[in-house]
C-alpha cells in the first residue's frame, strides 16, 4: 500500500493536472455518465443474446422430439429409406442451417444430412451417456465462438407395464433405441448481435461526446467560485486591496473565506503592531538622545557654567545613557527570544529558594512605599528551568506589583505545584488594569498609564520579555485585574523541561 501511495505521489508530481480539482470533477462526471451507459448496453445485449439462444434451443428440441417420435413410428433405425423421415430431416437441417446425425444403439451413424459420416461409428462421451441414461431429456450446449448449438436428443420409446401382483398399478418403462445429434447454426443471431453492438458503440460514442461536453461545462461551473476566490486572494497578495474577501457561493468557500479573512485580520493587526512598535522604538530611543542633546547644548551655550552644574548635567546625561543602554539591551533580548536563538541553560532549581532571594532584593523598594511583601510557599518546588530567565520573570512580575501598587498596599506571592507544573501567583492591591488594556499589556512598549510608567522608570518591555521567557519554558502566563482593586498574574511552568527540537535546544 505504501509503494502504491508513493507511486501515485510520483505520478501526480510529474503530472500536476492530476491534482487539479477541475480535472477530478470532470473525470468523475464523465465516468459517472458514460460507464453506466456502457454497462447497461452490455447487459441488454447479453440478455438479448441469452433469450434468443434459449428460444432457438427450445424450438430445436421441440422439432427434434417430433423427429425422434417419427423415427420410432417408421422404424427408421432399421429401415433408413423412409422418404418422409428423410424429408423431415432435410427440412430441419435446411431450416436451422445445421446438420443432423441419426445414431442407433450401437453408436452407428444411420443417417447424416451432410452425407459425410453415414455408416461410421460415433464415439462421444455425451452420446454414450445419453444412451445409457435411458431418459427422454436432451443435452444442449451453446458454442458462442463457433456460432452453433449442439443438441443431443435420445430416440426413446415409452411402454406401460402392469405390476406382477395384478394390483392394477402401472409402471412406465422408457427404452432408448438411438440418438439424434443436431447442430443448429446461430450465425443469424451473431449477425444480428454484431449489428446491435455496432449501433450500441455508436450510441456510446455519441453519449461519450455529450458526457465529455457536459462534464467539461460542469467542472468549469463548479470550480469557478474557487477560481474567483483565488483571484481575490491574489489581489490581496499583490497589494491591490486589503479589503476582506467575500465568496459565498459554497459552504466550503465560506469556510475558506472566513479562515483567510481571520488570517488577514491578524496580519493587519501584526502590521499595525509592527508600525506602532517601530514608532515606539523610535520615540523611546529618541527621548534620551533629545535630553542629552539639550543638556549638552546648555553646557556649550554658557562658557561660565559653574562646576556644580557641569556635574549635575553630566550626571543626567549618564543616566540617560544608562536608560538608552537598558532599552537597547532589552530589545536585543526580545529579538533573540522571538527567533528562539537564546540558549537555554537548563538546571534543577529550587524555586522556593530563588523566590526568597528575589523577595529580599525587592523588599527595600517595597519598604520605601510601605508595601507589605509576603511569600506563601504551599509546597517545596524543584523544577528544570533556566535560572537566569526564571529570575528575570519573577523579578519583573514582583517589581511591577510593587511599582504599580498604591501606598501602604500589599503584594502576595504564592508558589504551588501539581504533578506536572508549578504555579506562581503574584497578587497586588495596586491601580489595576482596565479590561480593554488587559489583552495588550504583553505588547512591546505598551503602557496602560504612560505618565506613571515614566515615573517608575519603565521601558514598556518588561512584560513582553517576561512572556517570551515563559514561552521558552513551554509555560503560560495569565492576567486577572480590576481597576482600583489590583491585579493577579499567574505563571504556569512545567516541572520537567521539554526541549524545542525545531529550535535546536
Amino acid at each position: 500500500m505504501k509503494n502504491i501511495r508513493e507511486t501515485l505521489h510520483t505520478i501526480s508530481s510529474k503530472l500536476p493536472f492530476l491534482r487539479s480539482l477541475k480535472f477530478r470533477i470532470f473525470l468523475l462526471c464523465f465516468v459517472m455518465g458514460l460507464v453506466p451507459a456502457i454497462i447497461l448496453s452490455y447487459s441488454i445485449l447479453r440478455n438479448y443474446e441469452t433469450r434468443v439462444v434459449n428460444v432457438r434451443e427450445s424450438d430445436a428440441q421441440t422439432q427434434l422430439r417430433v423427429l425422434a417420435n417419427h423415427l420410432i413410428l417408421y422404424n427408421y433405425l432399421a429401415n433408413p429409406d423412409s422418404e418422409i423421415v428423410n424429408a423431415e430431416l432435410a427440412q430441419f437441417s435446411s431450416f436451422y442451417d445445421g446438420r443432423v446425425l441419426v445414431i442407433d444403439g450401437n453408436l452407428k451413424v444411420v443417417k447424416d444430412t451432410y452425407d459425410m459420416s453415414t455408416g461410421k461409428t460415433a464415439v462421444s462421451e455425451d452420446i454414450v451417456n445419453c444412451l445409457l441414461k435411458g431418459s427422454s431429456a436432451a443435452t444442449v450446449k451453446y458454442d458462442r465462438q463457433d456460432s452453433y448449438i449442439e443438441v443431443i436428443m435420445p430416440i426413446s420409446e415409452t411402454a406401460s407395464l402392469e405390476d406382477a401382483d395384478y394390483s392394477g398399478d402401472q409402471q412406465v418403462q422408457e427404452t432408448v433405441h438411438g440418438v439424434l445429434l443436431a447442430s443448429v447454426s446461430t450465425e443469424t443471431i451473431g449477425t444480428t448481435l454484431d449489428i446491435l453492438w455496432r449501433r450500441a458503440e455508436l450510441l456510446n460514442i455519441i453519449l461519450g461526446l455529450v458526457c465529455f461536453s457536459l462534464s467539461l461545462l460542469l467542472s468549469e461551473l463548479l470550480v469557478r467560485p474557487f477560481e474567483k476566490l483565488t483571484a481575490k486572494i491574489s489581489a490581496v497578495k499583490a497589494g491591490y486591496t486589503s479589503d476582506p474577501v467575500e465568496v459565498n457561493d459554497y459552504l466550503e468557500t465560506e469556510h475558506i473565506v472566513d479562515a483567510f479573512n481571520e488570517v488577514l485580520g491578524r496580519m493587519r493587526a501584526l502590521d499595525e503592531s509592527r508600525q506602532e512598535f517601530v514608532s515606539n522604538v523610535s520615540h523611546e530611543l529618541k527621548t534620551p538622545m533629545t535630553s542629552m542633546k539639550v543638556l549638552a547644548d546648555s553646557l556649550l551655550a554658557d562658557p561660565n557654567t559653574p562646576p556644580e552644574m557641569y556635574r549635575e548635567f553630566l550626571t543626567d546625561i549618564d543616566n540617560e545613557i544608562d536608560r538608552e543602554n537598558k532599552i537597547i539591551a532589552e530589545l536585543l533580548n526580545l529579538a533573540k527570544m522571538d527567533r528562539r536563538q537564546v540558549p537555554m541553560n537548563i538546571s534543577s532549581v529550587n524555586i522556593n529558594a530563588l523566590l526568597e532571594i528575589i523577595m529580599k532584593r525587592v523588599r527595600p523598594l517595597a519598604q520605601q512605599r510601605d508595601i507589605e511583601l509576603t511569600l506563601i510557599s504551599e509546597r517545596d518546588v524543584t523544577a528544570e528551568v533556566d535560572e537566569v530567565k526564571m529570575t528575570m520573570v519573577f523579578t519583573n512580575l514582583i517589581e511591577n506589583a510593587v511599582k504599580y501598587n498604591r501606598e501602604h498596599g500589599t503584594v502576595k506571592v504564592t508558589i504551588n505545584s501539581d504533578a506536572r507544573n508549578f504555579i506562581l501567583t503574584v497578587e497586588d492591591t495596586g491601580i489595576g488594569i482596565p479590561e480593554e488594556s488587559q489583552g495588550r499589556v504583553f505588547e512591546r512598549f505598551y503602557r496602560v498609564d504612560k505618565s506613571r510608567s515614566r515615573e517608575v522608570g519603565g521601558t514598556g518591555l518588561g512584560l513582553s520579555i517576561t512572556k517570551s521567557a515563559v514561552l521558552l519554558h513551554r509555560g503560560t502566563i495569565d492576567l486577572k485585574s480590576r481597576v482600583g482593586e489590583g491585579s493577579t498574574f499567574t505563571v504556569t511552568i512545567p516541572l520537567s523541561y521539554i526541549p524545542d527540537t525545531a529550535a535546536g535546544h
Side-chain angles (χ1 to χ4, degrees), residues 294-306 309-310 313-314 317:
V294 171
L295 292 170
D297 288 344
S298 298
L299 292 175
L300 293 174
D302 187 2
N304 299 319
T305 303
M309 187 171 291
Y310 262 104
F313 280 18
L314 288 175
I317 291 174

Side-chain angles (χ1 to χ4, degrees), residues 243-411:
D243 297 332
V245 176
E246 292 185 6
V247 179
N248 300 323
D249 299 62
Y250 301 142
L251 185 62
E252 290 76 10
T253 56
E254 283 188 15
H255 292 163
I256 296 173
V257 164
D258 291 342
F260 177 77
N261 287 337
E262 184 177 346
V263 172
L264 188 63
R266 292 183 63 184
M267 290 175 60
R268 189 180 292 113
L270 286 174
D271 187 58
E272 292 174 356
S273 175
R274 179 185 60 81
Q275 293 178 2
E276 184 178 357
F277 173 71
V278 172
S279 175
N280 288 333
V281 168
S282 302
H283 176 74
E284 293 295 332
L285 294 178
K286 184 179 179 181
T287 301
M289 298 295 293
T290 303
S291 298
M292 288 186 285
K293 175 67 173 174
V294 171
L295 292 170
D297 288 344
S298 298
L299 292 175
L300 293 174
D302 187 2
N304 299 319
T305 303
E308 295 80 6
M309 187 171 291
Y310 262 104
R311 179 174 294 277
E312 181 183 350
F313 280 18
L314 288 175
T315 301
D316 291 340
I317 291 174
D318 183 65
N319 291 335
E320 293 297 330
I321 292 174
D322 288 340
R323 183 164 175 263
E324 186 105 358
N325 286 334
K326 184 178 179 182
I327 294 173
I328 293 172
E330 290 189 349
L331 283 172
L332 290 174
N333 280 333
L334 199 56
K336 289 178 181 179
M337 289 183 184
D338 285 345
R339 295 195 301 267
R340 299 294 192 269
Q341 291 181 347
V342 180
M344 297 292 287
N345 301 314
I346 302 299
S347 60
S348 182
V349 178
N350 187 316
I351 303 299
N352 303 74
L354 180 61
L355 281 171
E356 289 178 358
I357 294 172
I358 295 172
M359 296 285 282
K360 186 176 181 180
R361 292 176 186 170
V362 179
R363 190 161 276 114
L365 178 63
Q367 290 174 350
Q368 291 177 4
R369 304 182 60 201
D370 191 24
I371 293 175
E372 182 182 354
L373 199 59
T374 307
L375 173 62
I376 302 174
S377 297
E378 298 286 350
R379 65 184 64 192
D380 291 334
V381 177
T382 300
E384 297 177 359
V385 295
D386 185 319
E387 186 172 357
V388 174
K389 294 179 179 57
M390 201 50 57
T391 299
M392 180 176 59
V393 170
F394 296 162
T395 302
N396 280 340
L397 292 177
I398 297 172
E399 282 189 353
N400 281 351
V402 173
K403 291 177 181 178
Y404 294 96
N405 211 322
R406 57 181 173 81
E407 296 289 337
H408 317 298
T410 61
V411 173

Side-chain angles (χ1 to χ4, degrees), residues 43-313:
S43 301
I44 290 174
L45 290 177
R46 284 303 177 200
N47 288 334
Y48 170 78
E49 179 185 12
T50 301
R51 182 176 179 81
V52 172
V53 169
N54 288 338
V55 171
R56 179 62 63 91
E57 290 175 354
S58 177
D59 290 345
Q61 288 182 71
T62 302
Q63 294 297 326
L64 287 174
R65 193 169 285 110
V66 172
L67 282 174
N69 291 335
H70 287 181
L71 292 175
I72 295 296
L73 179 64
Y74 291 100
N75 195 21
Y76 188 83
L77 296 177
N79 181 22
D81 296 329
S82 173
E83 293 182 0
I84 296 176
V85 175
N86 286 332
E88 289 179 350
L89 291 172
Q91 183 181 9
F92 179 91
S93 180
S94 175
F95 181 79
Y96 288 102
D97 191 19
R99 179 184 182 185
V100 183
L101 276 72
V102 181
I103 304 169
D104 62 16
N106 298 319
L107 302 178
K108 179 182 177 182
V109 179
V110 176
K111 176 66 176 178
D112 181 3
T113 55
Y114 278 13
D115 292 329
M116 295 174 59
S117 300
T118 304
K120 296 181 181 180
T121 300
V123 181
S124 169
E125 182 180 358
D126 293 332
I127 294 174
V128 173
N129 290 335
C130 185
L131 288 171
L132 296 177
K133 195 184 300 181
S135 172
S136 60
T139 302
V140 182
K141 292 183 179 180
Y142 172 50
D143 191 329
R144 180 183 290 109
Q145 184 176 358
D146 294 331
S147 301
Y148 74 90
I149 300 172
E150 182 183 80
V151 183
I152 301 176
M153 175 69 68
I155 304 171
S156 59
E157 184 178 7
T158 302
S160 298
L161 300 175
E162 293 185 356
D163 288 345
D165 58 359
Y166 304 101
S167 61
D169 295 334
Q170 292 183 341
Q171 292 182 343
V172 177
Q173 182 179 4
E174 192 168 19
T175 304
V176 179
H177 298 286
V179 175
L180 279 173
L181 175 62
S183 296
V184 178
S185 175
T186 58
E187 288 185 0
T188 55
I189 297 176
T191 301
T192 304
L193 283 173
D194 288 340
I195 295 172
L196 292 176
W197 274 114
R198 285 195 293 271
R199 291 181 179 178
E201 288 174 356
L202 180 60
L203 288 175
N204 286 333
I205 291 173
I206 296 173
L207 182 61
L209 293 175
V210 172
C211 288
F212 181 87
S213 302
L214 289 177
S215 300
L216 201 62
L217 179 61
L218 280 175
S219 63
E220 182 68 30
L221 291 176
L222 293 174
V223 175
R224 188 168 294 172
F226 293 97
E227 293 178 345
K228 188 194 304 182
L229 178 60
T230 303
K232 291 193 174 184
I233 292 176
S234 298
V236 173
K237 177 184 174 183
Y240 300 139
T241 180
S242 59
D243 297 332
V245 176
E246 292 185 6
V247 179
N248 300 323
D249 299 62
Y250 301 142
L251 185 62
E252 290 76 10
T253 56
E254 283 188 15
H255 292 163
I256 296 173
V257 164
D258 291 342
F260 177 77
N261 287 337
E262 184 177 346
V263 172
L264 188 63
R266 292 183 63 184
M267 290 175 60
R268 189 180 292 113
L270 286 174
D271 187 58
E272 292 174 356
S273 175
R274 179 185 60 81
Q275 293 178 2
E276 184 178 357
F277 173 71
V278 172
S279 175
N280 288 333
V281 168
S282 302
H283 176 74
E284 293 295 332
L285 294 178
K286 184 179 179 181
T287 301
M289 298 295 293
T290 303
S291 298
M292 288 186 285
K293 175 67 173 174
V294 171
L295 292 170
D297 288 344
S298 298
L299 292 175
L300 293 174
D302 187 2
N304 299 319
T305 303
E308 295 80 6
M309 187 171 291
Y310 262 104
R311 179 174 294 277
E312 181 183 350
F313 280 18

